[in-house]
Amino acid sequence: MAQARVLIIDDSPQIHEVLRDLVLQPQGYQVLSAYDGQEGLEMALRERPDLIILDERMPRMTGVEVLEALREKGMDVPVIFTTIHGSEDLVVRVFRLGVRDYVIKPFEPPEMERAVERVLVEARLRAERDRLLQQLQEANRNLERQVQELQTLYSIGRSVTSLLDLDAVLKRVVEAAVFVTRAEEGLLMLVDEKEQELYLRAAKNLDEGTVQGLRIRVDDSLAGTVVQTGRAVLITEENVKVATGYLVQALVYVPVRSAKRGIIGVLGVTNRRTRRSFSQHELGILSALAAYAAIALENAQLYQQVRHQADELAAALARSQELESLKSQFIQNVSHELRSPLALIRGHAELLINGELGELNPEQARSLEIIARRAQMLGELVQDITLILEAEARPLEVMPVPLDELARAAVDDFQVAAERSQLALNLQIAPDIPPVGGESLYLRRVLDNLIGNAIKFTPAGGTITVQVWQNGQMVHLQVADTGVGIPPDQKERIFERFYQVDGSTKRRHGGMGLGLALVKEIVEIHGGKVEVESKLGEGSAFTISLPIYRK
Ligand code: ADP
């Protein structure tokens, strides 16, 4: 080992000379010399040599005493012990005190040279081993620290996604920031856009009293600078005055950045007492935590928005349900109130027409017929309204209904009206039509409405044909006319409640636009469908298809 420093402690100048000139200097070692034990001890403590060659018998202090004193001072230096005679006791004692080699005087220079070489190599190896061990321990500590950091980040990540309590998440973020950076205090401040201020949202190790309700200006604070520039700040070993009013020795502030709203706050850690400053690595971890805080804040905002919208929707739904039921109730009341007076009007009109209350002149008779017909129409309308509401309110009672017979009866009933409008009303029924499933009262209204419309919308001289046939599992019924037809863009709309192709008040035809809506709704609750084919000016054909009755 070049340049190793060797201290000789011996009271004999000759020994010094031999060791220096023949053993140590030729090998390039630096030589320190002490001539008694006391001087040697002081020099050893002061100069910290790499090796001591120590004589046993000296004035003032023996070699053994020097060894004991060195040991007491905690100095671990390799020693080669020399003595004129060696008792076994002494050997054991000095080796216990940490001596590395023992050389009997007088010695030959090569013998001492080998001993020095060996002890120094051994010491070097030992030092190397200690250094490696230390490095290993250091690496291990770092690794443990990193694992802890990762675990902290991971658990924060999980709580961000699983905890809905924003306060709890943000508190945890600040706690984690303090923990992983080994800081003394931590805080999270958020931007109040309107006031251009930052307010405290969560804190760790800050005196409650001092920081409660803390607000600072964005344009006049260190944290505000972070918000404005979007850059982290790392301050080392300085007395900086911060938002909390404290003087701190070291601090890191990182921006909390939201994807949508830009910079929404600042996450920071500080040391008030210790001068330990924060590293770039710790700044990095803090940034990761700030990202978690941003996500938590964003989630909370979205959640609130969604909840607000859901509340609004629920309220709107409740309102519309209430309106709907009020409307039904109203219509039902009106229908009921209309039915009895209508029946009365019709009854009396009939009495008069039949001449049971005396002869009528032709004008009176015509007037009465109009009254009776209108009363009849009104009655039908009231029936439609009642039926459509009823169909909504209660489930269908399914029975076998012979659609062919229903069609025959309807056509019979409309014959007079058709003749009056100068229309031919024909019926074509295929043989062996199986019954369909449903309620005949409803299905009869379907036929009445379809045939009634056909008569209404077909000019004199036209033809109306009602057909019934079976195809597979369905029975079809069609009412075709040679009337005015329906514009193609209205074909769907005519099935809406209260919809009419010509909705003007100057319409020639009566009605409320409820008939086809009733047809469609009734057919559909029977598991069937309605289709319409039409050509403007040529005529229309409405076809309903209903499933065959099954027990
Ligand atoms: P309303 O007949 O009481 O007006 P509907 O619901 O029965 O109500 O019919 C809605 C509209 O569909 C009618 O106003 C009419 O414009 C059109 N429409 C229905 N049937 C026919 C038809 N056979 N020919 C032409 N247009 C029709």
Side-chain angles (χ1 to χ4, degrees), residues 423-442:
L423 298 169
L425 176 55
N426 303 326
L427 179 67
Q428 291 171 8
I429 297 181
D432 305 324
I433 300 292
V436 297
E439 288 189 35
S440 62
L441 190 71
Y442 281 154

Side-chain angles (χ1 to χ4, degrees), residues 488-506:
D489 60 335
Q490 315 262 326
K491 271 199 206 156
E492 289 302 319
R493 303 217 57 192
I494 54 172
F495 292 102
E496 290 170 17
R497 289 185 186 181
F498 307 111
Y499 188 83
Q500 295 172 323
V501 173
D502 175 10
S504 70
T505 45
K506 287 181 271 150

Side-chain angles (χ1 to χ4, degrees), residues 453 456-457 481 485-486 494 499-501 511-513 515-516 540 542:
N453 276 348
K456 247 193 322 190
F457 295 104
D481 62 48
I486 299 159
I494 54 172
Y499 188 83
Q500 295 172 323
V501 173
M512 295 229 352
L516 284 180
S540 314
F542 288 82

Side-chain angles (χ1 to χ4, degrees), residues 292 348 451:
Y292 280 135
H348 282 282
I451 300 171

Side-chain angles (χ1 to χ4, degrees), residues 181-471:
T181 59
R182 286 168 287 169
E184 291 172 18
E185 313 91 20
L187 82 180
L188 173 72
M189 306 198 77
L190 294 184
V191 176
D192 177 341
E193 289 272 355
K194 217 171 75 206
E195 303 291 334
Q196 275 301 297
E197 285 179 342
L198 278 158
Y199 62 95
L200 190 78
R201 187 66 176 79
K204 168 85 180 165
N205 296 345
L206 292 175
D207 312 334
E208 285 283 318
T210 332
V211 295
Q212 212 149 50
L214 179 75
R215 293 183 84 93
I216 51 168
R217 307 240 7 115
V218 168
D219 56 17
D220 182 31
S221 61
L222 193 57
T225 312
V226 173
V227 172
Q228 280 171 334
T229 60
R231 265 196 239 121
V233 173
L234 193 154
I235 289 179
T236 323
E237 294 188 24
E238 248 181 77
N239 279 330
V240 189
K241 189 148 182 191
V242 287
T244 43
Y246 298 144
L247 279 180
V248 301
Q249 307 297 332
L251 74 77
V252 189
Y253 279 175
V254 296
V256 177
R257 200 183 305 264
S258 145
K260 275 196 233 96
R261 291 178 291 150
I263 294 176
I264 53 172
V266 174
L267 176 66
V269 290
T270 51
N271 283 337
R272 259 194 292 166
R273 287 174 295 279
T274 58
R275 293 199 137 235
R276 195 186 76 80
S277 51
F278 299 104
S279 65
Q280 282 295 331
H281 172 71
E282 284 163 337
L283 188 149
I285 295 180
L286 216 59
S287 300
L289 286 168
Y292 280 135
I295 294 171
L297 285 160
E298 246 162 62
N299 280 353
Q301 213 207 13
L302 284 178
Y303 178 70
Q304 231 158 20
Q305 251 173 27
V306 168
R307 205 171 51 184
H308 184 69
Q309 280 166 356
D311 286 351
E312 271 184 354
L313 278 178
L317 188 67
R319 235 175 7 249
S320 98
Q321 275 169 344
E322 197 183 338
L323 280 178
E324 189 66 28
S325 92
L326 271 178
K327 195 180 78 186
S328 301
Q329 192 61 46
F330 172 76
I331 294 175
Q332 228 147 11
N333 290 346
V334 171
S335 326
H336 181 78
E337 293 303 318
L338 284 175
R339 240 182 295 176
S340 348
L342 273 175
L344 225 72
I345 292 172
R346 280 175 64 189
H348 282 282
E350 230 118 279
L351 274 182
L352 286 168
I353 290 169
N354 294 344
E356 287 175 37
L357 300 178
E359 277 299 305
L360 302 175
N361 66 35
E363 255 141 73
Q364 289 172 326
R366 229 189 44 198
S367 272
L368 270 174
E369 255 159 43
I370 293 173
I371 291 175
R373 203 168 62 237
R374 292 291 160 166
Q376 160 96 15
M377 275 171 63
L378 266 178
E380 276 168 14
L381 180 66
V382 170
Q383 202 185 356
D384 278 358
I385 292 174
T386 320
L387 275 182
I388 212 166
L389 289 172
E390 220 181 71
E392 273 175 6
R394 72 169 173 83
L396 198 66
E397 247 176 71
V398 180
M399 309 277 274
V401 179
L403 205 58
D404 47 352
E405 275 169 37
L406 219 57
R408 198 169 279 129
V411 166
D412 273 353
D413 289 351
F414 273 101
Q415 241 7 296
V416 178
E419 267 163 37
R420 204 186 289 137
S421 302
Q422 295 165 37
L423 298 169
L425 176 55
N426 303 326
L427 179 67
Q428 291 171 8
I429 297 181
D432 305 324
I433 300 292
V436 297
E439 288 189 35
S440 62
L441 190 71
Y442 281 154
L443 292 175
R444 176 60 203 255
R445 277 311 295 163
V446 168
L447 292 188
D448 286 353
N449 275 313
L450 290 179
I451 300 171
N453 276 348
I455 292 175
K456 247 193 322 190
F457 295 104
T458 306
T463 307
I464 294 161
T465 311
V466 178
Q467 267 180 293
V468 182
W469 74 99
Q470 179 193 356
N471 187 2

